[in-house]
Amino acid sequence: MADAEKPQAVMDDAASGAAADDAGFDRLQINVESVGPCKKHVRVTVPREVIDDVMQGAVDELMTSAAVPGFRVGHVPEQLIRRRFRSELADQVKQKVLMQSLEWIAEAEDLDPINEPNLDVESIEVPDEGDFEYEFDVEVRPEFDLPDYKGLKIERPVREISDGDVDAYLQEFVEQYGQLEPVEEPASLEDFVTVEADFVHDGKVLHHIDELSLRVRPVLRFQDAEFSGFDKEVVGAKEGDTRELDLTVSMEADNIGMRGETVTLKMTVLDVKRLRRPELDDEFLSRLNVESEEQLRDEVRKMLERQVTYEQRQSTRRQVLEKITESADWDLPEDLVRKQVENALRREILEMQQAGFTRSEIAARENDLRQKSISMTRQNLKEHFVLDRIAEEEDLEVTSTDIELEITMMALQRGENPRRVRARLVKSGMIENLEAQIRERKAVDVILENAEFQESEMAPPTEVSVAAVNRSVCGEPVGLPEDEAEEDAGEE
């Protein structure tokens, strides 16, 4: 939620000028009106005498430093300064009047913006005579009473990682490096079928795909719909066989007009492939930067332990946030919600990458999240604002060391150089997501440190029931950047 995580440029710069000379700005006429959820309309009138004072200050400064032919520095007549540097003075006065008036507004009206105000600075002109008036809209943080966040009763799932868990996950992990090989046999569970696919609605083909690789698993999940019982429909299929599946489009699909509609997937099997997993030999182990199978199993166990921690955090976090947002009945601007949909998705995937989930598991989760994106994002924003207030209340800060530690962990997990991971996060704009994630995590940690826990058994960590497809049944895929949306080796 990068846009919602900190005040933007104009108001930021204004607030940073607290030490600047604000003499006279207490005479501003300011009118602030609520014009929607978390949105204020601000009208400002700057009296003429304030503008004249700012102009005189700018002229006095130039008189001490301006170099004009025929005059010694510091001895140029004031009127000549005003004529010769008219344009420069006008720009300087406009900038100073705007910045100092915005500073005064932020302090006097206690505005807490979450986005840059829609103020077109280039089109604004300070008049030569009379008062200066301007107005703008700005999105602000919601106002609410901070709930009691200490002493909450929380259920915490627990699980001891077994050798069986390690075996199951190791098989799933190694599959990312496997090769698909054609087989003459009918499709079995966990095989891959390449199909020619038509997505049909009301007798009309929405789109056609020449070749689509689908894994035979119980659930087939697209970005905007899913089908349960896919394995039962496809097991036993062979080249030339046809199948028809009716899918109901998610009520939160990007295509609003298709929400709740039935789309028929008509597919013809082109071939059946089976995944050949690589041998755990020295060459493969070297590729993974481990020296032995025992070390690889140790690393897998650590991954699973991090995933248990992740699931514990997600479960306890959900409970925490449900409790602390019970009273968060305030509305949010629709445009703000829309802007945050992709960021909320990115943050969830970022946390899963850090926890060591495979690409296929992340893809399955991504499609599930996309089907719930609007309501999820609206809730995430409310959670963010509450957690941000708690972070302020507890004086929690994110240090550069915190960020570097997270990046190092991500790099180790993905077998990459930390500098490359950092560069990618900066380029994609996710470095701000990472910082916000750490700050919110610290706020949740404070809550959990003061919570009362009741433990429950956690389900096995490895998800092998979902085949995720980076496609929309309604049309073109909507995904993350290529390097993040890659399917695992068997699914593309």
Side-chain angles (χ1 to χ4, degrees):
M1 294 178 296
D3 290 334
E5 279 149 13
K6 59 181 180 181
Q8 298 294 306
V10 173
M11 299 296 276
D12 254 348
D13 292 343
S16 68
D21 176 22
D22 60 0
F25 281 87
D26 55 346
R27 289 173 285 172
L28 292 182
Q29 298 174 26
I30 306 168
N31 180 266
V32 180
E33 297 178 351
S34 293
V35 291
C38 302
K39 183 176 286 188
K40 303 288 187 181
H41 183 75
V42 183
R43 294 186 181 87
V44 186
T45 300
V46 184
R48 184 73 233 174
E49 55 268 27
V50 174
I51 299 170
D52 291 341
D53 288 346
V54 173
M55 174 64 80
Q56 188 62 55
V59 170
D60 292 343
E61 184 176 340
L62 267 179
M63 288 178 65
T64 64
S65 59
V68 178
F71 296 90
R72 288 181 295 153
V73 174
H75 291 78
V76 184
E78 179 176 331
Q79 290 307 313
L80 180 57
I81 290 287
R82 287 180 179 268
R83 287 198 306 272
R84 188 177 183 90
F85 299 99
R86 178 183 178 87
S87 177
E88 292 87 343
L89 285 168
D91 288 342
Q92 185 176 345
V93 168
K94 179 174 77 170
Q95 181 181 20
K96 191 166 185 177
V97 167
L98 281 175
M99 297 305 293
Q100 290 195 249
S101 60
L102 286 171
E103 173 197 333
W104 184 267
I105 292 167
E107 294 180 355
E109 299 297 328
D110 196 26
L111 293 179
D112 193 0
I114 57 178
N115 273 323
E116 187 173 319
N118 65 339
L119 186 62
D120 187 357
V121 177
E122 295 299 323
S123 67
I124 291 176
E125 296 294 338
V126 178
D128 294 331
E129 298 180 358
D131 298 339
F132 168 43
E133 297 181 352
Y134 68 97
E135 56 187 305
F136 59 89
D137 290 333
V138 63
E139 290 177 344
V140 297
R141 294 180 184 276
E143 300 174 0
F144 58 90
D145 294 327
L146 194 62
D148 185 5
Y149 56 89
K150 294 185 177 180
L152 300 180
K153 292 180 172 58
I154 302 295
E155 182 177 294
R156 178 168 56 190
V158 295
R159 183 177 184 83
E160 290 292 330
I161 299 301
S162 67
D163 291 340
D165 292 333
V166 174
D167 291 338
Y169 188 84
L170 183 57
Q171 178 171 300
E172 192 81 3
F173 178 79
V174 169
E175 282 188 358
Q176 298 178 98
Y177 303 91
Q179 297 293 325
L180 290 177
E181 299 177 340
V183 295
E184 299 299 328
E185 306 167 26
S188 300
L189 191 67
E190 295 298 316
D191 281 347
F192 291 78
V193 290
T194 305
V195 302
E196 181 180 0
D198 285 309
F199 294 87
V200 182
H201 176 251
D202 286 345
K204 178 182 177 182
V205 177
L206 298 177
H207 62 117
H208 171 85
I209 302 176
D210 290 330
E211 292 187 3
L212 180 62
S213 180
L214 305 173
R215 191 160 200 180
V216 183
R217 283 183 167 175
V219 178
L220 177 63
R221 180 175 295 162
F222 292 89
Q223 291 182 337
D224 51 1
E226 68 180 40
F227 184 85
S228 296
F230 180 67
D231 55 336
K232 297 176 182 177
E233 295 287 339
V234 180
V235 166
K238 57 185 182 301
E239 181 181 350
D241 287 352
T242 61
R243 297 288 189 273
E244 291 191 9
L245 312 176
D246 287 336
L247 304 96
T248 301
V249 179
S250 166
M251 292 305 295
E252 298 197 41
D254 288 337
N255 190 326
I256 297 175
M258 288 295 295
R259 291 175 180 174
E261 294 292 310
T262 297
V263 172
T264 301
L265 168 57
K266 296 183 177 182
M267 57 187 186
T268 301
V269 177
L270 302 178
D271 63 39
V272 178
K273 293 186 177 74
R274 194 156 293 160
L275 187 67
R276 180 172 60 83
R277 299 180 182 86
E279 297 294 329
L280 297 181
D281 53 22
D282 291 342
E283 180 181 353
F284 180 69
L285 294 173
S286 176
R287 182 180 175 186
L288 298 179
N289 295 318
V290 294
E291 296 180 355
S292 65
E293 183 177 344
E294 182 181 356
Q295 184 183 352
L296 176 59
R297 292 180 64 85
D298 287 342
E299 292 299 325
V300 167
R301 187 177 294 275
K302 291 175 184 177
M303 289 181 195
L304 292 177
E305 288 171 349
R306 286 201 299 273
Q307 289 183 28
V308 168
T309 300
Y310 168 85
E311 295 294 351
Q312 285 179 333
R313 181 178 296 279
Q314 293 302 99
S315 174
T316 54
R317 177 188 173 109
R318 281 192 295 270
Q319 295 174 68
V320 163
L321 295 176
E322 285 173 5
K323 293 176 184 296
I324 66 174
T325 58
E326 283 177 353
S327 60
D329 54 358
W330 21 271
D331 292 327
L332 292 166
E334 287 301 319
D335 53 349
L336 176 61
V337 173
R338 286 194 299 270
K339 283 188 291 186
Q340 301 310 323
V341 166
E342 197 68 21
N343 279 339
L345 177 64
R346 285 175 178 272
R347 292 186 60 191
E348 181 80 10
I349 291 175
L350 180 63
E351 289 192 0
M352 292 189 72
Q353 288 173 341
Q354 290 170 287
F357 286 88
T358 65
R359 285 173 177 166
S360 61
E361 290 174 311
I362 291 173
R365 178 64 172 153
E366 177 189 351
N367 287 357
D368 181 53
L369 291 173
R370 283 194 179 280
Q371 295 179 34
K372 305 172 182 175
S373 59
I374 300 297
S375 58
M376 176 192 72
T377 301
R378 196 182 304 279
Q379 179 65 17
N380 282 352
L381 279 168
K382 291 187 176 184
E383 292 166 1
H384 161 73
F385 289 124
V386 174
L387 289 175
D388 197 55
R389 280 280 303 277
I390 293 174
E392 290 179 4
E393 187 78 11
E394 299 290 335
D395 294 323
L396 303 177
E397 298 293 339
V398 177
T399 66
S400 58
T401 301
D402 292 330
I403 295 175
E404 291 306 319
L405 179 60
E406 291 291 334
I407 290 175
T408 299
M409 290 177 61
M410 291 174 66
L412 288 173
Q413 165 61 30
R414 304 185 71 172
E416 294 185 73
N417 186 297
R419 287 194 299 273
R420 183 181 176 189
V421 175
R422 167 178 273 281
R424 185 168 60 249
L425 290 173
V426 172
K427 183 179 179 180
S428 65
M430 289 183 67
I431 196 74
E432 291 185 1
N433 296 74
L434 180 60
E435 181 177 348
Q437 174 200 104
I438 297 170
R439 179 175 165 87
E440 291 184 12
R441 184 192 305 162
K442 288 186 174 186
V444 172
D445 286 343
V446 168
I447 299 172
L448 295 180
E449 286 168 5
N450 294 276
E452 299 177 15
F453 292 101
Q454 179 179 353
E455 295 185 344
S456 61
E457 183 66 19
M458 182 186 296
T462 306
E463 171 62 84
V464 293
S465 65
V466 177
V469 187
N470 192 31
R471 296 273 184 171
S472 162
V473 303
C474 297
E476 290 303 310
V478 179
L480 295 175
E482 267 186 40
D483 62 330
E484 293 177 34
E486 275 186 307
E487 303 289 348
D488 63 42
E491 292 189 279
E492 195 65 3

